[in-house]
Amino acid sequence: LEIEVSNGSYAQWQISREFSNITDFEAYDFISFYWYGKADGTKYVIQVNTDSPAKHFWYQFSDSWKGWKKVIFPMHIADGSYTLYGVRFNKITKSEASWRNVKRIDFRLSAVNPNVVGIFHMDRFAFERSVLVNLKIVVHGDLQKLKLLNLNQNTYVPLGQINANGTVPITEYHLLNGA
């Protein structure tokens, strides 16, 4: 998708996808899309609106890279500020919004940087499910020497410590971010 924005009488631009019926996205785990970055620090917003205007999910990200990059927003993560695969973003949930009754999705320039003109590129906008894996490992020897690591881009990060019953508790966020 190419978005071309020229000078006009409004400070913001927005593209929207409105669903004819309420749509249930509760079974999905991520919003993802590819964004062609300019590394100019411009902020953009994705707002997922429910059937009630006051209830929505709001994500804001900063364009901090050059070229194509896959942007991934965890849907069921707590509100806050995060960095995932090099993309800084904020998430806010308004008025107990639910992923079960989505009516419209808006993509727009953030209000913190009005009147940005240019050509913008987005591709492959999607809702994705995560893949969960159960591992059963038989260890012959000292269990405490076993290390469970996650590859986060090009760095291996420990996922957790082995506890007394031989399990490693891992939060979902550790699997997402590797931190």
Side-chain angles (χ1 to χ4, degrees):
L1 174 64
E2 182 175 278
I3 307 162
E4 186 171 351
V5 180
S6 58
N7 288 326
S9 57
Y10 298 100
Q12 301 296 314
W13 57 262
Q14 172 176 300
I15 58 173
S16 299
R17 166 66 161 101
E18 185 151 357
F19 300 99
S20 53
N21 297 312
I22 299 299
T23 305
D24 184 351
F25 289 108
E26 180 66 28
Y28 293 90
D29 300 299
F30 306 100
I31 296 172
S32 70
F33 58 93
Y34 286 83
W35 181 256
Y36 193 86
K38 298 177 182 180
D40 60 5
T42 301
K43 295 182 185 306
Y44 301 90
V45 169
I46 289 184
Q47 184 169 311
V48 180
N49 302 284
T50 67
D51 57 345
S52 171
K55 297 180 177 184
H56 61 265
F57 299 96
W58 181 91
Y59 294 87
Q60 178 177 268
F61 73 96
S62 299
D63 183 338
S64 61
W65 65 91
K66 285 190 179 248
W68 286 107
K69 178 176 265 205
K70 187 174 186 179
V71 177
I72 302 172
F73 296 142
M75 294 167 55
H76 304 288
I77 199 166
D79 290 356
S81 297
Y82 301 93
T83 300
L84 185 57
Y85 299 114
V87 178
R88 292 185 316 272
F89 69 93
N90 299 313
K91 179 193 178 199
I92 297 174
T93 305
K94 288 289 190 177
S95 303
E96 299 179 10
S98 170
W99 291 106
R100 294 189 183 282
N101 56 350
V102 173
K103 183 64 177 165
R104 189 181 77 237
I105 301 170
D106 301 327
F107 182 84
R108 66 176 177 267
L109 187 63
S110 176
V112 301
N113 42 230
N115 298 317
V116 176
V117 298
I119 297 175
F120 309 92
H121 294 92
M122 174 192 276
D123 197 14
R124 300 181 191 173
F125 187 94
F127 287 86
E128 295 185 27
R129 291 188 174 110
S130 62
V131 177
L132 299 178
V133 181
N134 289 319
L135 298 175
K136 184 174 183 175
I137 301 171
V138 177
V139 177
H140 301 283
D142 186 2
L143 187 62
Q144 295 305 316
K145 290 184 179 180
L146 178 69
K147 292 183 180 179
L148 188 57
L149 306 170
N150 184 35
L151 179 61
N152 182 8
Q153 293 184 353
N154 50 354
T155 304
Y156 283 99
V157 179
L159 287 177
Q161 297 287 62
I162 298 171
N163 60 25
N165 67 1
T167 63
V168 180
I170 303 170
T171 63
E172 287 183 43
Y173 183 68
H174 279 90
L175 293 175
L176 296 174
N177 198 38

